[in-house]
Amino acid sequence: MAQNLLYILTEGSHDAAFVYRILKTNGFTTNNELIKNYPQPLNDFLSRDILNVSIPEVKIQEARSRFLPAYVMNRGNNLILIYSIGGESRADIRISLIKALNALNEPDPDAIQAIPDTSISVLYFFDADNLGTEARMNQVIEECKLAFPKVAFEEEYDPAEFHLFEDIQVGAYIFRKPDADEGMLEDVLLPLMRDGNDDIFQAAEGFLAVNHTCTLFSASLKLDATGQILKVNGEKYSHKKSLVGTVGQLRKSGKSNTVCISDAEYITDAKINANGTCMEIISRINKVLI
């Protein structure tokens, strides 16, 4: 029986949680199987040092994001593995992972080999930030050039499509503002959460504004030219991420932003099914499903 494996590589746990939430709305369920019960070659793949890195040389905080997916989802014969890997500084991890996946299709009697009728795809998720879609797509292609050294690459690739490199289809989705080619996950996430809950968000905005006046932090703020906070006590500050966490505590006490995104009621199935970005994401994923 044919099986389809899609590896989703996100920059962080918030992105992974958002993709998980979209998949959950679209009929995917969490796969809670023991690793040994996953289909071949995935069970062996997950059991081994898949990135060919010596485990003693890995920081313990990085071990899970390097070796195991944050979520595994399935629907029919489609299995989706969602990784929270990191941004530009973690390119080596993504490249090593893709190389290991590509090795499944290499004729090597000593390696893990894919069984017949198994298709493999990889989908990157990046923030556009202030670079834009084209720059992020170029970043994906530069990583693929290192992962697929035998491939003759073209000059340009459509960011809305998957592209076949050897036996693996590779695509990308770039988070951005609805009306501009810049932005990040939170530019999609916060409008979804805020819709119908403006009273909660206005109160949260008021609370977060205390940063400017309170004794504990006001003297340690680093501001940009518009008065927005860049750092607090030398640590990078994200107002948007703080807003997600603040409203999230009303429903998920003590839980991380990841849980507030994946499980709180601010994001409903109806909102996801009506949102342009969410519909684009599931449409992109559907291109490689069977």
Side-chain angles (χ1 to χ4, degrees):
M1 182 179 295
Q3 66 172 337
N4 184 43
L5 306 179
L6 171 60
Y7 289 76
I8 289 179
L9 313 182
T10 70
E11 290 192 76
S13 58
H14 299 168
D15 311 72
F18 187 55
V19 175
Y20 159 83
R21 185 69 184 81
I22 293 171
L23 290 171
K24 188 177 176 182
T25 295
N26 283 273
F28 282 83
T29 57
T30 303
N31 193 310
N32 292 314
E33 288 282 352
L34 297 174
I35 288 177
K36 68 178 182 180
N37 293 333
Y38 278 81
Q40 283 282 11
L42 187 57
N43 51 7
D44 285 341
F45 187 76
L46 292 173
S47 299
R48 296 190 186 187
D49 179 2
I50 61 172
L51 301 181
N52 299 315
V53 176
S54 173
I55 290 178
E57 299 299 322
V58 178
K59 293 180 181 178
I60 196 167
Q61 294 89 347
E62 296 179 359
R64 185 170 186 228
S65 64
R66 291 180 72 101
F67 299 107
L68 292 174
Y71 306 93
V72 179
M73 310 286 289
N74 71 278
R75 191 181 74 191
N77 293 328
N78 298 288
L79 206 59
I80 298 183
L81 299 93
I82 307 173
Y83 286 78
S84 170
I85 289 180
E88 295 178 41
S89 65
R90 294 293 185 266
D92 59 326
I93 300 176
R94 287 187 293 272
I95 293 166
S96 295
L97 174 57
I98 294 172
K99 282 183 175 180
L101 291 173
N102 195 36
L104 294 176
N105 298 310
E106 294 290 331
D108 183 350
D110 297 322
I112 306 170
Q113 295 295 294
I115 61 173
D117 299 321
T118 298
S119 55
I120 299 175
S121 305
V122 173
L123 181 58
Y124 279 72
F125 277 85
F126 276 137
D127 289 336
D129 293 324
N130 61 350
L131 299 175
T133 300
E134 183 178 351
R136 287 304 189 200
M137 189 62 191
N138 289 339
Q139 180 182 339
V140 170
I141 296 303
E142 289 305 310
E143 292 187 13
C144 287
K145 287 179 179 178
L146 295 173
F148 302 98
K150 298 177 183 178
V151 173
F153 283 83
E154 300 173 7
E155 289 188 9
E156 294 184 6
Y157 286 90
D158 186 347
E161 300 295 335
F162 279 85
H163 304 280
L164 186 64
F165 301 136
E166 296 192 29
D167 293 320
I168 296 179
Q169 295 193 84
V170 179
Y173 189 86
I174 313 302
F175 287 116
R176 58 200 180 279
K177 296 176 182 177
D179 56 351
D181 192 22
E182 63 177 15
M184 58 197 297
L185 166 69
E186 283 74 18
D187 291 313
V188 177
L189 179 65
L190 282 171
L192 270 177
M193 296 179 68
R194 190 160 190 154
D195 181 25
N197 302 298
D198 204 53
D199 53 342
I200 295 173
F201 277 81
Q202 285 183 10
E205 293 276 14
F207 167 71
L208 292 174
V210 173
N211 244 346
H212 290 274
T213 58
C214 66
T215 303
L216 185 60
F217 298 120
S218 60
S220 64
L221 301 182
K222 180 180 178 181
L223 309 177
D224 66 13
T226 66
Q228 295 295 314
I229 302 173
L230 297 175
K231 291 185 177 181
V232 180
N233 285 339
E235 297 289 333
K236 184 179 179 181
Y237 177 79
S238 170
H239 178 77
K240 294 173 182 177
K241 287 182 172 62
S242 294
L243 196 55
V244 172
T246 300
V247 301
Q249 293 311 298
L250 294 175
R251 178 63 182 87
K252 298 289 182 180
S253 300
K255 299 296 178 66
S256 68
N257 281 18
T258 300
V259 177
C260 297
I261 294 167
S262 65
D263 294 323
E265 291 87 344
Y266 291 106
I267 306 174
T268 64
D269 289 352
K271 287 183 180 181
I272 288 174
N273 289 332
N275 179 264
T277 296
C278 295
M279 289 190 290
E280 280 184 358
I281 289 171
I282 197 62
S283 176
R284 189 73 47 86
I285 290 171
N286 280 333
K287 289 184 176 183
V288 291
L289 299 186
I290 58 175

